[in-house]
Amino acid sequence: MPITAAAIEAAYDRITPHIRVTPLLQLRKGDLGLPFATSLKLESLQHSGSFKARGAFNSLLSQDVPLSGVTAASGGNHGAAVAFAARALDIPARIFVPQIATPAKIARIRAYGAEVEVGGATYAEARRTCETWREASGALDIHAYDAEATIVGQGTLALEWEAQTRGLDTLLVAVGGGGLISGIATWFAGKTRVIGVEPEGCRSLSAALAAGGPVDVEVGGIAADSLGARRCGELVYDICRMAVDDVIIVCDDDIREAQQRLWREAQVVAEPGGAAALAALTSGRYVPQRGERIGILVCGGNADLTVLAAPALASVT
């Protein structure tokens, strides 16, 4: 399918019976320590805990699925989304995860009924193992970010976001492999600035834009299980070099602080990757112009709750 606004509209109609319309949280000046009003799109409340459910349902509903079912490689969130969608549509699924995937995310995938295999130390190795299984089984491979159906499905988030809050000047969006920001940038092209936010240990998009094409990067840091793509996709690069306005880098401490602020001050559960976009503001790495209207995407909520609770417990004693 083409990656266009019209395709995103068609995908939204296709997947609407299966997804949640996630809420928008309006923040006043001073909330989360920010000196201006803004809003959070809480895609962390989507089925399976992240935006990935959109691309998963669109991929399964827009393609012929063989009897052998579907397969995917994932650091956790994509695998959970594919497993959730496959269970809803009564399709067998096998998910390949790297060793860096958190036990909580692996347990979530299994809880949705998929078979899970650890396919290597990194996402790239899990991806290769998944491809070997696809060749042997004939299963439909649902790519986490570099596939038209995935990107178009993620773009439905932008359609929904715009309907909830018109008039935003700038959107801050976390980037891993780039499927999400590609879909969002496709929808908002020519209407709203879209800025990517990458952790310092996961720079696949900024590296590609600097090099003039996708390149391999080292992957590490606290958000690697959700944003740790070793190489952004070709489709992603082609869209982002034209439609993404900038990419900002944040450090792990920035992300952890943003994650804690969301929990302590707004009672919003976000995993590190889900808090990365907010970190661009709370760290001061992105400073809005006077009167600039900002929207922030909280893209995933599959957090380790013990990490969130520990500082709060310490402060009570």
Side-chain angles (χ1 to χ4, degrees), residues 13-311:
D13 289 342
R14 185 181 299 122
I15 69 175
T16 291
H18 303 282
I19 63 166
R20 291 173 177 155
V21 175
T22 55
L24 200 76
L25 178 62
Q26 298 288 350
L27 300 179
R28 299 165 300 177
K29 180 179 178 180
D31 289 347
L32 301 182
L34 297 173
F36 47 82
T38 186
S39 62
L40 306 176
K41 172 66 167 165
L42 299 181
E43 192 65 11
S44 50
L45 298 178
Q46 187 55 259
H47 288 304
S48 75
S50 82
F51 69 94
K52 297 281 190 177
R54 296 173 183 270
F57 272 112
N58 191 52
S59 296
L60 295 182
L61 292 168
S62 64
Q63 300 178 81
D64 293 329
V65 179
L67 292 177
S68 52
V70 297
T71 188
S74 169
N77 285 346
H78 176 61
V82 171
F84 180 89
R87 185 183 68 176
L89 300 174
D90 197 24
I91 295 169
R94 182 182 294 251
I95 310 299
F96 293 85
V97 300
Q99 293 168 6
I100 62 171
T102 65
K105 289 185 178 181
I106 293 174
R108 185 181 291 266
I109 295 170
R110 287 200 171 105
Y112 292 145
E115 295 185 47
V116 181
E117 292 190 22
V118 177
T122 65
Y123 170 77
E125 292 175 10
R127 176 78 239 154
R128 288 194 291 270
T129 307
C130 177
E131 290 170 355
T132 299
W133 168 254
R134 175 190 58 78
E135 291 172 359
S137 67
L140 176 66
D141 185 2
I142 308 299
H143 199 283
Y145 52 87
D146 199 33
E148 291 179 354
T150 299
I151 293 172
V152 168
Q154 316 309 25
T156 64
L157 190 159
L159 181 160
E160 187 177 288
W161 198 355
E162 183 180 44
Q164 291 172 318
T165 177
R166 296 185 182 276
L168 292 176
D169 299 306
T170 304
L171 306 176
L172 297 177
V173 179
V175 180
L180 172 62
I181 198 169
S182 297
I184 289 174
T186 296
W187 180 262
F188 281 108
K191 297 186 288 186
T192 303
R193 297 177 72 230
V194 176
I195 295 179
V197 182
E198 289 185 317
E200 60 184 0
C202 307
R203 302 190 184 200
S204 70
L205 180 56
S206 56
L209 294 173
V215 293
D216 288 344
V217 297
E218 295 298 318
V219 173
I222 63 171
D225 66 326
S226 59
L227 303 182
R230 185 169 295 279
R231 184 186 185 96
C232 84
E234 296 286 350
L235 290 172
V236 166
Y237 171 74
D238 287 342
I239 293 169
C240 290
R241 68 186 178 87
M242 300 295 293
V244 170
D245 294 271
D246 196 7
V247 180
I248 294 168
I249 306 300
V250 293
C251 70
D252 281 0
D253 287 345
D254 297 335
I255 293 171
R256 185 67 78 197
E257 169 61 19
Q259 184 189 26
Q260 290 290 339
R261 281 201 207 188
L262 282 168
W263 174 240
R264 291 193 310 263
E265 301 178 32
Q267 293 73 55
V268 171
V269 174
E271 62 192 278
L278 176 63
L281 288 178
T282 55
S283 67
R285 293 175 186 265
Y286 182 75
V287 179
Q289 298 295 315
R290 183 178 180 85
E292 184 178 353
R293 294 160 297 180
I294 305 291
I296 306 159
L297 180 62
V298 181
C299 59
N302 292 317
D304 182 344
L305 298 182
T306 61
V307 172
L308 291 178

